Amino acid sequence: MRVDIRLFANVKEIAGRDKLELDVPDDATVADVLHALKEAYPELHDALEHVMVAVNLELADPSRRVLATDEIALIPPVGGGEGEHPYARLTREPLDVKEAEALLSDARHGGCVLFLGTVRAWTGHRQTERIEYEAYEAMVRVQLEQLVTEIEQEFAGVKALVWHRIGTLYPEDVAVICGAAHPHRKAAFEACQALIDRLKARVAIWKKEFFADGSAEWRPNP
């Protein structure tokens, strides 16, 4: 059978395209797909050592069987349209801090914590010119909504918000807003900390950093 495979970040760049077609056995697993990719595209071999695989917007175990109708995507290590969920947003538009605060504002909440992640001008001794954020957009929208739900279930009484911007950003542009509101500040701080940490660790967003010296580098979104 023939399967379609979506590519992102450095894998897409090495392949020179964002989608590949691949012939695999009818009973192929995720592991079989990766093996066949390495055989068919040896230039991807090293990059494929570090990817995860998503099938139908969910991370998949190597033993999972695949079908010709599945949406398969290669996910490089992780530490975009706008989602319908107002508290879980992926967008190419500038993030509005006042709008985020207004969504979390509630007379019952005595504590509201907002974390803003901005593009820094320097990474060590290297000056950053711009960053291009890329995402597996359909999957990220699902992941952001899941994060909001997870945090609100774990921290009783918290209202959570997570927004991320994709596209080209420059130093001091706001790339991410995480927020948490609760009747008490301690829970709001703890929930907001958990939200940004899990966002950076799990969500399928990558960045290509362009430096003033003309070099560029794909990075996870730490």
Side-chain angles (χ1 to χ4, degrees):
M1 68 177 172
R2 176 160 293 188
V3 294
D4 291 331
I5 303 168
R6 297 191 62 186
L7 312 179
F8 297 93
N10 62 318
V11 183
K12 179 180 76 173
E13 193 167 86
I14 294 167
R17 66 191 88 172
D18 62 7
K19 184 179 288 188
L20 295 174
E21 292 184 344
L22 187 70
D23 290 318
V24 296
D26 289 344
D27 60 350
T29 64
V30 166
D32 295 329
V33 170
L34 287 175
H35 178 75
L37 274 170
K38 292 176 183 178
E39 293 289 320
Y41 301 93
E43 68 274 18
L44 295 178
H45 186 280
D46 289 345
L48 293 176
E49 293 295 318
H50 305 288
V51 301
M52 297 178 288
V53 178
V55 178
N56 299 331
L57 308 183
E58 295 182 349
L59 292 179
D61 186 84
S63 62
R64 174 168 174 166
R65 291 275 298 274
V66 297
L67 303 174
T69 53
D70 286 338
E71 179 171 295
I72 303 171
L74 303 185
I75 308 297
V78 298
E82 187 168 313
E84 297 179 357
H85 193 310
Y87 293 89
R89 181 177 297 178
L90 186 70
T91 181
R92 295 182 181 275
E93 300 301 319
L95 301 181
D96 187 330
V97 179
K98 290 185 178 179
E99 182 187 357
E101 183 180 8
L103 277 173
L104 291 173
S105 180
D106 189 311
R108 296 167 296 179
H109 294 158
C112 180
V113 176
L114 288 177
F115 169 82
L116 310 183
T118 61
V119 175
R120 57 180 177 263
W122 294 88
T123 300
H125 64 281
R126 305 171 78 185
Q127 185 175 4
T128 298
E129 179 185 274
R130 70 185 188 278
I131 292 178
E132 294 182 1
Y133 286 92
E134 179 180 316
Y136 182 8
E137 297 184 34
M139 184 172 180
V140 169
R141 291 194 183 95
V142 173
Q143 290 178 316
L144 294 181
E145 291 189 23
Q146 289 173 339
L147 271 178
V148 167
T149 299
E150 177 182 314
I151 293 295
E152 291 181 347
Q153 290 177 345
E154 184 173 331
F155 296 88
V158 158
K159 188 65 182 176
L161 173 148
V162 56
W163 293 352
H164 208 296
R165 189 178 172 189
I166 56 173
T168 302
L169 279 71
Y170 296 90
E172 299 188 70
D173 284 346
V174 178
V176 59
I177 298 177
C178 289
H182 188 269
H184 303 290
R185 65 181 181 274
K186 185 175 186 292
F189 274 112
E190 290 176 348
C192 191
Q193 176 75 59
L195 188 55
I196 185 61
D197 288 348
R198 296 175 196 182
L199 167 70
K200 294 298 185 179
R202 301 181 191 172
V203 176
I205 298 174
W206 312 275
K207 61 184 181 183
K208 188 172 186 179
E209 195 161 356
F210 293 82
F211 299 100
D213 63 8
S215 63
E217 182 177 319
W218 280 105
R219 295 171 176 265
N221 190 25

